[in-house]
Structure formats: C-alpha cells, structure tokens
Amino acid sequence: MTNLLLQKFNTQYNSAPFAEIKEEHYLPAFKELIDKSLQEIEEITHNPETPTFENTIEALAYSGEQLDVVSSIFFNLNSAETNDEIQQIAQEVSPLLTEFASKISQNEQLFSRIKKVYDEKDHYTLNEEQKMLLEETYKGFVRNGALLNDEKKEQLKNINIELSKKSLQFGQNVLAATNQYYKHLTNKDDLAGIPEAILAQYEEEAKERNLEGYVITLQFPSLLPVLTYAENRELRKELAIANGKKSFDGGEFDNQNLIKELVKLRQEKAQLLGYKSFADYVLEERMAKSPQKVLEFLNELLTKAKPFAQKDVEELSVLAKADGITEMQSYDHAYYAEKLRKQKFDFNDEELKPYFQLDKVQEAVFGLAGKLFGLEFVETSDIQKYHTDVKTYEVLEVGSQKSEDGSFKALLYADYHPRKGKRAGAWMTSFKNQYIKNGENHRPHISVVCNFTKPTSETPSLLTFNEVTTLFHEFGHALHGVLANTQYPNLSGTSVKWDFVELPSQFLENYCYEPEFLKTFAKHYQTGEVLPDEKIQKIEDSKNFMEGYQTLRQLSFGILDMSYHAENVKVEDVKTFETETIKATQVYPTLSETAVSTSFSHIFQGGYSAGYYSYKWAEVLDADAFQYFKENGIFNPEIAAKYKVLLSSGGTKDPMELYKNFRGSEPKVESLLKRAFG
C-alpha cells in the first residue's frame, strides 16, 4: 500500500491530499518520519566540520519538515474531524513524538555543537533573525533539560510523555462528555421565548436523531439560545448545570484526577529544570516575565472592574425580582442581560442576525484584508478538503490574476459549522508554516475553524453579533499566518511570545464596531436593507454592555490558571481549589454541581497553561494599537503598512520592540480602561 504521507504531495501548492489519506497511513508514517528526522539530526551531530551557524543552527531549524507537516495534518483533524480511530492513534502517536522531542533536546553531542556556536556568537556576522534563531535554539535546549544529568534527563522525558498523554485524554474526555448529552423535548411550550429560527435548528437536530420534537445539545450554537432566551428557568438551569458538569460528574469522562496529575507533573517538570513553579518556567518566555507581574496586572484590573461588575449584576437583579426571583444565579445572567439589553438599547442578537449572513461577513473580512494589506481571496475547487463543509481559498496580492507570477500568499481553509467529530469553540491553525529555503519562499496553509449555526433548507447561516466578532478574531490570527515572511519556520507567523499572539486577533475585532465599515456588509439577507443607523448606534452604545461582568469572568480564568501553576500548589479537591481561588472574582453563588476546571481545555489541553492572562494582556495592546488608527483614520495606509510589518515579522524580534516600531511607544493600559469603562 502506497503511503501518501511519506511522499511529496502531488497536489496544487503541495496541499494535504485529504481525500486520499486513510487512517491506517498515520502510525506507519509517524514512525518512519521520526526515524528519518532522527537521521537528519545524526547528520548534523556527526558533521566532521567545525560547528557553524549554517551547519548546526540553521540545519536544525529546517530539519523534520515532512514530520511537521504530517503532525499538523493529523492533530488538526483530531480537533476538527476526529473519530474513535483517530483518537486511538493520537494516544499512540503522542508518546512517540514526545520521546522524539526528548531525543533531540537531550542529545549531548548536538547541544555541545549548539553551545559552541552560541558561545562564539560574537565572531559571526548574523542578521537580527539569525541572532533570534540562535538565542531561541540555545534557550530551547536548556529549557528542555540539556544541562541536566542523565538520570534527570530520563525523568524529564518520562514526565513529558505523561503530560502529552494526559492532556490529550483531557481533551478527548471533554469532547466525549459534550457529545454524550442531549435534551429531548416534545412540548413547544417548554421552549417559550426561544426564536423560531433556533427552534427550527432544534427540530433538525431531532430529525437527525430520528426523534420527534426538539433536541438541544451542549454545542455552543445550540446551548446559548436556551440560556439567553428561554423563559423556562428550570430548562436554563438544567442546561447550564449539564454544561458545567462536563467531565465533573464522576463518570467515564471525568477529568478531576487528570487535573491533579497534570498540575503535579508540570510542577515536577519546572522544579527539575530549576524553576520555583511551572508559571515561572512558562513566563520566562513571555512578555510578562514573572508570575508576580501577571498577578499584579490581573489584580489591578480586578480592582478597577469589580465595582462595574457588581453594578451590572444589580441592574439585572431588578429585572429578576420583577419575575419573583429573589436571588439571581449564574444561569440567569444571559437571560436577564438579554432582557436588559433589549430594554436599554431596544434590540437583541436575534433581530440583528438577518443582517449578518455568514457569506457576507466573510466577504467583509476578506475586503478589509484587501484594504489594509493588499490581499484578495479567490475560492478554488482544486484543493482537497477534509470535510464537505470546508471551503478553500487562494490568497493573492490584490490585482494579480494568477499564482505563477509570485503573487500567491497562502492557502486558506474555512471550516465554520459544528459536527460530531469537531471540538467546540473557534480557532486558527496551520497545516504548513511559511519559511524561505534555498531562495524559495514556501507559503503557508492556514485554517480558520468555528462553530456557527448551519444553514437550513430555508435560511442561510446567520451570525449573532458576537459570532461576527469571533470570525474577525480568528481571521486576525489567520492574517498573522498569511502575511508571514521570515526565513525560518519556527519564527514564522504566530510563532511569537504567547502573550503577544492575541494582538492581531483582538485588534481586528475593533472594526466590527466602526459604522462606516459595518454599513459595507451588514445587509438583510432577504431584502438587502443596510443595517439601519439606529441599530448601528445601538451596537456602538452597547459595546461595553456588561463589560464589568465579562472582564471579571476573564480575570477569574486568568487567576485560576495562575493558581494551578503557582509555587508549591496542592490540589486535593478540584472544586474546593477552584472555589477558593476565584472567590474574589465571583458575583453569583457557586453551583455545587459544576466546575470550570474540568472542561478548561485552554490550559489543560491547549497551549495556554500559565498563559490565559494573555487575552487581557493583549487587550491592552489591541486597544492601544486601534487607538492609533482611530486618531489617524481606521484605513490609514501608512499605519496599515507599519502594522503589516509587525504581522509579517513573526517571532524574529522581541515583541515589545516590534510594537514600539509600529506605535512609537509602549502600550498604555489607559487605552483599555478608557475603551472598557469610559
């Protein structure tokens, strides 16, 4: 059997041949490519020539190219189009990859070559990017145990393998727990208050399961309308608790013990490497630098935001009391927030949805990328897809007609709708990084993945305004990848300090609130009517609606994350630890049946461990950056050109230096406070 994953892809732009890849290809491909990559490392290690930047540092940066591509394909599918077989393969492959990484990072001969180049760096004439690559390569080896003795190296390798397996299991448990639950209703009266368009989706879900009536799942587009519109308080409570109980019910998919094990293993890893805590280990490589600085930042925002959050809840409580509710609960928040929003601004998300057809919103974000950065997006049917829902686009320089003239910038995969094999949430990822080798600029293959409501037989996919901002957010990440223009793949695109990575995504969200831009695409899908000025004004007026509460919610996640990874942390009971840790951020009573931690995939499966604060950190950056545009014109070509340089530079420079080159000064927290609270 020919294994396509072991060959150069014979497809347009060497894109992934999804239609021809079979599950049985993956494990043999990983094993062979790991062996091949280790041979490349051996060649670098045993090169008889004196170590130089080119034959050691640069050679290492370009090694394992095919393994990287296959890993990206496999793990992206494990998030976006998984099944039992892929999940089983993931459990087998993850330890192999972790062991492979350990063999490289703990290769003493290789490290001695790297150290020789590093120690003699002043003798080389290196450009800025080469200096950064050398610095990052040396630090990467040290942070992965290169200076440890053999016994401790073995310990570290085993810890990394366990971390890899357990974090993977955590995510699989959350997905399984999400898919396991559904609420079946046959009486339409139980769903009073929920818009007809949403009820039609619930009916379609029921039909897919061969049931009469309505089915609600824990997928976000299905869950959120219940919490927001259902007059039936018991139904809101039941769904909220079901969602909050994910992997916290003591059942097959419970994550409580996994959390304790992950926290313990991370702490052991950090201490083995000479750090006080896992947070210290992580933050050494962030803009923030230390846990103390992060906690000061989060607590400063907590002090500023809490009075606003309490005021938000007091306003909602007045409405709840009119309905006979003496004590508001967390599952009441979205419902009364929507009531208050309608009362204050006389509109709700459902009445805006007809103006935000997914196709038109995508056109708008494509157009914005054209206006700011000179890009155009051309849909193509020549690229193989991993699911029929996915659409593919060539990203070109504006005005060019074909890719052969060097105008090709990237491939874009757009995957917008929920399905059983796809995890919840929204994210940007890549199937192939950008880099330059032997004079050829290898362009990136980028993917944007969301979970927006599917079109029905009568209605196209319509977005809430919150989903509009989500699409812009993920597309901001995508632009970071699309515009990448660096020499080395490990410094390309989103390969930046983690608390810098959210700047491009959060920056782009700002355009959703700009009237002159909104009018270009917010048009009723049936009549073509432009979103009326009064509704646009209401969007602007409501921009900071419940901002105090939302800020506190984000701060609670950031503080919880830092607490799990602090010095000498002990987690004996997940619920108790969580409750105590985030007590100061809570404005509603705690529900004993639920926990945040057990489905907190960002920090226990994704890359945000000891880094969740970066969302708020980046808000300071994005508020400050957009203020610069606001002062000079939101489409200002000169400022856009400077911002494009920031995006295309990836991780080749210190992020603060990149930011100051763009803005002319360091970011000011006042920009965020002014935007959030006036």
Side-chain angles (χ1 to χ4, degrees), residues 283-441:
L283 291 166
E284 181 184 63
E285 285 294 284
R286 301 287 193 264
M287 290 177 80
K289 300 301 181 195
S290 74
Q292 293 73 28
K293 182 131 185 219
V294 170
L295 288 170
E296 282 170 18
F297 170 72
L298 294 175
N299 285 319
E300 180 188 356
L301 285 179
L302 176 59
T303 303
K304 297 268 181 22
K306 192 160 186 179
F308 289 95
Q310 288 166 330
K311 184 168 171 281
D312 287 344
V313 174
E314 281 164 20
E315 279 194 274
L316 300 185
S317 296
V318 173
L319 291 180
K321 274 180 185 148
D323 287 346
I325 295 172
T326 52
E327 185 178 41
M328 284 259 299
Q329 300 289 341
S330 54
Y331 50 80
D332 295 314
H333 180 89
Y335 178 74
Y336 285 103
E338 189 57 37
K339 268 195 161 186
L340 184 62
R341 187 209 302 269
K342 183 139 182 66
Q343 190 183 94
K344 271 188 157 187
F345 310 110
D346 192 28
F347 81 101
N348 62 39
D349 255 350
E350 284 305 308
E351 71 184 69
L352 289 180
K353 278 174 78 171
Y355 294 91
F356 293 120
Q357 185 177 339
L358 173 57
D359 291 347
K360 300 298 182 190
V361 177
Q362 181 184 260
E363 275 179 34
V365 82
F366 285 177
L368 180 60
K371 200 159 193 175
L372 292 175
F373 307 121
L375 300 174
E376 65 178 334
F377 298 76
V378 180
E379 188 170 0
T380 173
S381 57
D382 296 336
I383 307 301
Q384 293 185 29
K385 311 168 185 182
Y386 56 86
H387 192 275
T388 52
D389 283 353
V390 178
K391 292 187 177 180
T392 51
Y393 300 85
E394 292 176 299
V395 188
L396 309 171
E397 297 282 3
V398 165
S400 55
Q401 298 302 309
K402 59 186 188 301
S403 56
E404 290 79 14
D405 60 5
S407 62
F408 174 71
K409 300 298 288 184
L411 271 187
L412 179 70
Y413 297 82
D415 180 3
Y416 292 140
H417 304 301
R419 52 184 174 266
K420 191 181 174 188
K422 184 178 184 181
R423 70 176 168 87
W427 62 94
M428 165 269 176
T429 185
S430 64
F431 287 101
K432 180 174 171 287
N433 278 345
Q434 176 275 333
Y435 62 94
I436 300 168
K437 187 179 180 184
N438 300 327
E440 183 184 355
N441 197 329

Side-chain angles (χ1 to χ4, degrees), residues 403-585:
S403 56
E404 290 79 14
D405 60 5
S407 62
F408 174 71
K409 300 298 288 184
L411 271 187
L412 179 70
Y413 297 82
D415 180 3
Y416 292 140
H417 304 301
R419 52 184 174 266
K420 191 181 174 188
K422 184 178 184 181
R423 70 176 168 87
W427 62 94
M428 165 269 176
T429 185
S430 64
F431 287 101
K432 180 174 171 287
N433 278 345
Q434 176 275 333
Y435 62 94
I436 300 168
K437 187 179 180 184
N438 300 327
E440 183 184 355
N441 197 329
H442 296 254
R443 298 310 303 169
H445 300 176
I446 304 297
S447 180
V448 169
V449 190
C450 301
N451 278 280
F452 300 141
T453 304
K454 279 188 166 186
T456 67
S457 52
E458 289 155 18
T459 315
S461 180
L462 302 174
L463 306 187
T464 65
F465 186 72
N466 187 52
E467 288 174 327
V468 173
T469 62
T470 295
L471 181 55
F472 274 69
H473 179 103
E474 299 309 333
F475 196 77
H477 282 309
L479 286 171
H480 208 176
V482 165
L483 293 169
N485 196 34
T486 65
Q487 188 84 21
Y488 305 111
N490 44 345
L491 296 177
S492 179
T494 57
S495 300
V496 297
K497 302 291 186 197
W498 207 257
D499 43 10
F500 192 61
V501 81
E502 293 299 331
L503 165 62
S505 53
Q506 292 176 186
F507 168 82
L508 214 65
E509 288 183 48
N510 288 285
Y511 282 90
C512 299
Y513 296 93
E514 292 298 316
E516 74 175 286
F517 178 59
L518 260 180
K519 285 184 176 183
T520 65
F521 70 93
K523 296 174 183 176
H524 199 285
Y525 79 98
Q526 288 171 314
T527 65
E529 177 204 16
V530 175
L531 189 65
D533 285 341
E534 62 269 21
K535 288 191 191 292
I536 292 176
Q537 188 59 51
K538 284 167 186 174
I539 289 174
E540 181 64 26
D541 291 344
S542 66
K543 182 178 177 182
N544 294 329
F545 180 65
M546 294 287 129
E547 182 64 31
Y549 174 80
Q550 292 302 336
T551 298
L552 234 61
R553 188 168 177 271
Q554 285 294 96
L555 293 175
S556 76
F557 294 149
I559 290 167
L560 181 60
D561 170 35
M562 291 307 296
S563 300
Y564 271 123
H565 300 110
E567 189 178 0
N568 299 323
V569 65
K570 296 258 188 316
V571 184
E572 290 170 7
D573 179 79
V574 167
K575 178 66 175 179
T576 304
F577 181 87
E578 176 178 304
T579 304
E580 287 301 310
T581 296
I582 60 176
K583 192 189 297 180
T585 67

Side-chain angles (χ1 to χ4, degrees), residues 5 31 42 107 135-136 154 162 173 192 206 230 234 333 363 423 434 525-526 553 583 589 639 650:
L5 297 175
K31 288 178 177 176
E42 283 296 300
N107 184 323
E135 188 72 31
E136 291 299 307
E154 187 64 22
E162 284 302 302
N173 284 349
E234 283 306 308
H333 180 89
E363 275 179 34
R423 70 176 168 87
Q434 176 275 333
Y525 79 98
Q526 288 171 314
R553 188 168 177 271
K583 192 189 297 180
I639 296 175

Side-chain angles (χ1 to χ4, degrees), residues 123-161:
H123 301 160
Y124 293 96
T125 306
L126 302 176
N127 63 31
E128 274 190 294
E129 183 172 351
Q130 290 169 328
K131 285 177 186 171
M132 181 64 82
L133 180 67
L134 175 56
E135 188 72 31
E136 291 299 307
T137 303
Y138 177 76
K139 270 197 300 186
F141 271 74
V142 171
R143 287 169 58 79
N144 280 292
L147 298 177
L148 298 178
N149 62 34
D150 288 346
E151 184 188 343
K152 288 185 174 178
K153 280 180 180 171
E154 187 64 22
Q155 261 182 280
L156 183 62
K157 183 183 86 171
N158 291 333
I159 287 171
N160 284 336
I161 287 172

